[in-house]
């Protein structure tokens, strides 16, 4: 990485120990400590202001989700009449010293705008019977004061931004300079609600105007609004699942290389597919071989991959519009299940079949979980690992020693979507067409579990698919990947062959 200037935002010097400077005073851009150039000559500064072509883009077409984001903003406006609503995208987060993590816009902001720009803020201001929406963004880098080439976030360092005029065409929302927003919010009157946790500067400007209770109501509403997906969202989730299926195929093809190295080879292989076809992975990939498969969120991915053991791969591609898949397959590393592995796998498969069968409009949300857990409890009793009857096992939750987690969750822009929704609207709610959820039962026999026969220890199996509720039942968005044991073996053989 090239040694660059200090991080910079707009006209302010972005260095933690720099005293606060009035916004109206333009300040010189501070250079990186220990930089090789001590300063900028007047001649160079003047030279850098001239000789640049006009790159403004004209006649841009709105992004594909623009009609849908407009409808979402209209529903939000109707829910909170007469109140100013502030939804930030968030800021860059420091990884180490002067390097940042890759930016990912807040789900709420991206859901309502389709934009993914750092520092962006959507404001819905009361107007007439509804609201006037404005998206506040950083404009193009200033070429007069040198910001575009001297700032760590200048365009010659991190790439071109859209101009405000371009953003308006793409998003279908009036755009203004975000550097003016904090001052405007400090002067704002009337009720205000904001989505917290993404932009400390915006929150500071609103500190005497908002309450935690009112802001939480906004966050809950936006979480529940995402429960039923529109046509665009369903298409994006299908894209995510299709790309993820190809990523799983990539992994099977290189299992021999993973055996020669580690789980990291699997992680890197899937990540390549995610970055080529999408924005990123939707969450940290779980590439758990052997006994690591019994650790639910094994993301270290630094263990050995051995023939004769199982690989539990839980991974999802996030699309360019930030919708993620969440799929799990448990695969025999050498391509064939042994007798005990198949017995455990078949139990999880039958459990998942029961769970998927319970997903339909009008069903209680928890019905799929109850159906899947019943199958697993029956098998654990049948194998002599639990004392029946099954009703007693379920009432006391005794199967949870080996099933551990819930059987699924809502899915969308967040891998655990709608997480802030009210319990009565989510876990205690009813399924509707357009909802998307995972069905992912599992059995996990820890390597140190003395309550099971030794041959069970260190075996973990999970099967997970992304299920869309339809008008007449459900559709498996991840059906491109085989699930039944014989089909898995045939599929793996064809890819390796």
């Amino acid at each position: 990485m090239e040694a660059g200037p200090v991080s910079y935002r707009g006209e302010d010097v972005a260095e933690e120990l720099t005293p606060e400077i009035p916004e109206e005073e333009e300040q010189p851009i501070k250079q990186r400590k220990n930089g090789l150039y001590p300063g900028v000559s007047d001649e160079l500064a003047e030279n850098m202001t001239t000789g640049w072509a006009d790159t403004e883009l004209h006649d841009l077409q709105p992004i594909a989700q623009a009609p849908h984001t407009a409808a979402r903003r209209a529903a939000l406006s109707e829910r909170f009449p007469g109140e100013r609503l502030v939804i930030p995208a968030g800021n860059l987060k420091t990884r180490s010293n002067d390097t940042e993590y890759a930016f990912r816009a807040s789900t709420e902001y991206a859901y309502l705008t389709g934009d993914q720009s750092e520092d962006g803020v959507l404001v819905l201001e009361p107007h007439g019977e509804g609201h006037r929406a404005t998206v506040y963004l950083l404009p193009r880098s200033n070429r007069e004061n040198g910001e575009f080439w001297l700032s760590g976030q200048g365009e010659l360092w991190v790439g071109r931004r859209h101009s405000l005029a371009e953003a308006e065409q793409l998003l279908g929302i009036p755009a203004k300079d975000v550097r003016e927003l904090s001052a405007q919010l400090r002067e704002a009157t009337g009720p205000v609600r904001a989505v917290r946790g993404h932009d400390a500067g915006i929150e500071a400007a609103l500190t005497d105007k908002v309450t935690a209770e009112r802001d939480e109501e906004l966050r809950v509403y936006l979480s529940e609004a995402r429960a039923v997906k529109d046509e665009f969202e369903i298409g994006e989730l299908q894209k995510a699942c299709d790309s993820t299926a190809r990523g799983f195929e990539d992994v099977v093809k290189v299992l021999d290389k993973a055996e020669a190295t580690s789980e990291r080879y699997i992680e890197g292989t899937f990540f390549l597919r995610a970055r080529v076809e999408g924005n990123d992975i939707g969450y940290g990939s779980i590439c758990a071989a052997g006994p690591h498969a019994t650790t639910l969120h094994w993301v270290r991915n630094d263990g050995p991959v051995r023939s004769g053991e199982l690989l539990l791969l839980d991974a999802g591609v996030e699309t360019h519009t930030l919708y993620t898949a969440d799929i799990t397959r448990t695969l025999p590393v050498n391509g064939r299940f042994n007798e005990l592995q198949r017995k455990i796998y078949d139990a999880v498969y039958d459990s998942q079949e029961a769970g998927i069968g319970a997903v339909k409009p009008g069903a209680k949300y928890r019905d799929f979980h109850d159906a899947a857990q019943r199958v697993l409890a029956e098998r654990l009793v049948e194998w002599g690992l639990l004392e029946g009857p099954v009703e007693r096992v379920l009432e006391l939750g005794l199967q949870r020693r080996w099933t551990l987690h819930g059987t699924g969750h809502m899915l969308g822009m967040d891998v655990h979507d709608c997480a802030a929704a009210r319990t009565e609207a989510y876990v205690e709610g009813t399924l509707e067409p357009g909802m998307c959820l995972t069905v992912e039962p599992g059995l996990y026999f820890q390597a140190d579990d003395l309550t099971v026969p030794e041959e069970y220890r260190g075996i973990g199996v999970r099967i997970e698919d992304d299920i869309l509720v339809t008008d007449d039942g459900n559709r498996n968005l991840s059906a491109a990947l085989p699930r039944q044991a014989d089909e898995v073996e045939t599929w793996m053989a064809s890819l390796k062959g």
Side-chain angles (χ1 to χ4, degrees):
M1 176 181 288
E2 194 70 37
V6 73
S7 178
Y8 173 86
R9 174 174 170 176
E11 304 297 335
D12 299 321
V13 178
E15 188 164 89
E16 188 175 359
L17 300 180
T18 301
E20 185 172 340
I21 299 165
E23 294 185 13
E24 64 273 11
E25 296 181 18
E26 184 169 305
Q27 299 297 318
I29 298 169
K30 191 168 184 177
Q31 299 299 292
R32 181 195 298 272
K33 184 179 181 181
N34 293 320
L36 292 175
Y37 290 107
V40 177
S41 69
D42 292 342
E43 290 78 7
L44 176 59
E46 176 63 27
N47 177 275
M48 292 297 287
T49 65
T50 61
W52 303 102
D54 180 7
T55 60
E56 183 74 9
L57 303 176
H58 303 281
D59 301 321
L60 295 173
Q61 296 301 308
I63 58 175
Q65 65 265 48
H68 301 284
T69 57
R72 297 165 196 166
R73 293 192 301 274
L76 176 61
S77 172
E78 185 176 353
R79 172 62 180 82
F80 296 104
E83 302 184 59
R84 181 178 278 101
L85 309 174
V86 182
I87 301 95
N91 315 129
L92 291 171
K93 291 183 171 65
T94 299
R95 181 180 185 273
S96 175
N97 188 25
D98 57 355
T99 61
E100 292 87 17
Y101 288 105
F103 180 73
R104 202 275 197 186
S106 74
T107 293
E108 295 88 352
Y109 175 84
Y111 177 74
L112 292 167
T113 67
D115 181 54
Q116 298 180 37
S117 303
E118 63 260 29
D119 302 325
V121 184
L122 173 68
V123 178
L124 270 63
E125 186 175 351
H127 179 72
E129 297 297 315
H131 287 79
R132 179 191 291 115
T134 304
V135 61
Y136 289 82
L137 302 166
L138 282 174
R140 292 287 308 279
S141 286
N142 189 327
R143 300 208 174 198
E144 294 300 316
N145 71 353
E147 182 260 343
F148 79 108
W149 71 287
L150 292 173
S151 161
Q153 293 303 315
E155 291 184 359
L156 291 194
W157 288 95
V158 298
R160 185 187 188 277
R161 299 192 281 269
H162 283 298
S163 70
L164 298 182
E166 292 168 354
E168 288 186 357
Q169 295 177 67
L170 292 167
L171 304 178
I173 314 171
K176 294 184 178 180
D177 191 335
V178 72
R179 294 171 298 186
E180 302 169 358
L181 180 58
S182 290
Q184 294 176 17
L185 292 178
R186 282 194 289 268
E187 299 299 321
T189 59
V192 182
R193 296 177 190 259
V195 174
R196 300 190 184 198
H198 301 297
D199 192 319
I202 294 299
E203 291 181 32
L206 293 171
T207 185
D208 60 341
K209 298 175 173 60
V210 295
T211 67
E213 180 180 3
R214 289 162 57 81
D215 290 353
E216 180 63 11
E217 288 176 354
L218 173 60
R219 189 172 79 103
V220 168
Y221 168 80
L222 289 173
S223 195
E224 293 181 7
R226 299 198 305 276
V228 175
K229 272 59 181 177
D230 58 37
E231 180 182 356
F232 175 84
E233 293 179 291
I234 293 169
E236 290 301 294
L237 286 168
Q238 185 63 70
K239 286 182 189 176
C241 288
D242 292 345
S243 289
T244 300
R246 288 188 283 273
F248 277 56
E249 292 175 354
D250 296 339
V251 167
V252 172
K253 292 175 182 178
V254 300
L255 282 178
D256 58 332
K257 294 182 174 62
E259 287 188 64
T261 53
S262 75
E263 296 162 339
R264 291 283 168 91
Y265 204 96
I266 295 167
E267 179 183 2
T269 298
F270 185 83
F271 181 70
L272 177 61
R273 177 67 65 173
R275 287 292 282 165
V276 167
E277 294 194 2
N279 176 60
D280 206 331
I281 50 175
Y283 53 95
S285 299
I286 299 168
C287 308
H292 287 162
T294 66
T295 301
L296 298 186
H297 288 167
W298 177 260
V299 293
R300 300 179 201 172
N301 299 334
D302 58 0
V305 178
R306 302 185 183 96
S307 179
E309 296 185 335
L310 298 178
L311 166 67
L312 190 156
L313 178 58
D314 184 337
V317 172
E318 178 186 75
T319 67
H320 294 291
T321 57
L322 307 185
Y323 289 83
T324 186
D326 182 7
I327 303 173
T328 307
R329 290 293 182 268
T330 304
L331 311 172
V333 173
N334 63 10
R336 304 286 295 182
F337 294 100
N338 66 32
E339 184 178 355
L340 179 59
Q341 290 169 347
R342 180 181 282 262
K343 182 176 84 166
I344 296 170
Y345 186 94
D346 285 348
V348 175
Y349 172 80
D350 291 344
S351 169
Q352 194 199 30
E353 281 285 277
I356 293 174
V359 175
K360 55 190 174 183
K364 294 296 183 184
Y365 174 84
R366 61 169 59 251
D367 285 354
F368 77 95
H369 168 73
D370 293 340
Q373 290 294 300
R374 175 172 291 277
V375 172
L376 295 179
E378 289 171 349
R379 297 301 170 87
L380 291 166
V381 170
E382 177 186 322
W383 298 341
L385 302 182
L386 286 173
E387 181 181 347
V390 170
E391 293 298 337
R392 168 183 170 272
V393 169
L394 292 170
E395 181 181 355
L396 298 177
L398 301 180
Q399 83 284 359
R400 292 183 61 185
R401 181 181 180 103
W402 301 292
T403 66
L404 293 174
H405 55 80
T407 311
H409 51 80
M410 291 289 192
L411 183 69
M413 296 185 81
D414 289 333
V415 65
H416 298 144
D417 209 28
C418 311
R422 295 166 298 161
T423 300
E424 58 267 31
Y426 190 156
V427 175
E428 302 300 337
T430 302
L431 295 179
E432 301 177 39
M435 289 182 171
C436 187
L437 59 142
T438 68
V439 179
E440 51 173 314
L443 283 173
Y444 313 92
F445 299 102
Q446 304 301 321
D448 59 351
D449 188 348
L450 302 181
T451 69
V452 299
E454 185 175 0
E455 61 268 24
Y456 283 70
R457 299 172 197 166
I459 296 178
V461 174
R462 179 164 68 251
I463 312 172
E464 178 180 21
D465 284 270
D466 301 343
I467 309 300
L468 174 70
V469 184
T470 62
D471 290 334
D472 57 357
N474 69 65
R475 173 157 60 96
N476 186 346
L477 300 179
S478 47
L481 286 171
R483 294 185 294 125
Q484 197 273 336
D486 287 340
E487 294 174 350
V488 168
E489 291 180 343
T490 301
W491 170 71
M492 292 184 69
S494 67
L495 291 172
K496 288 184 174 184

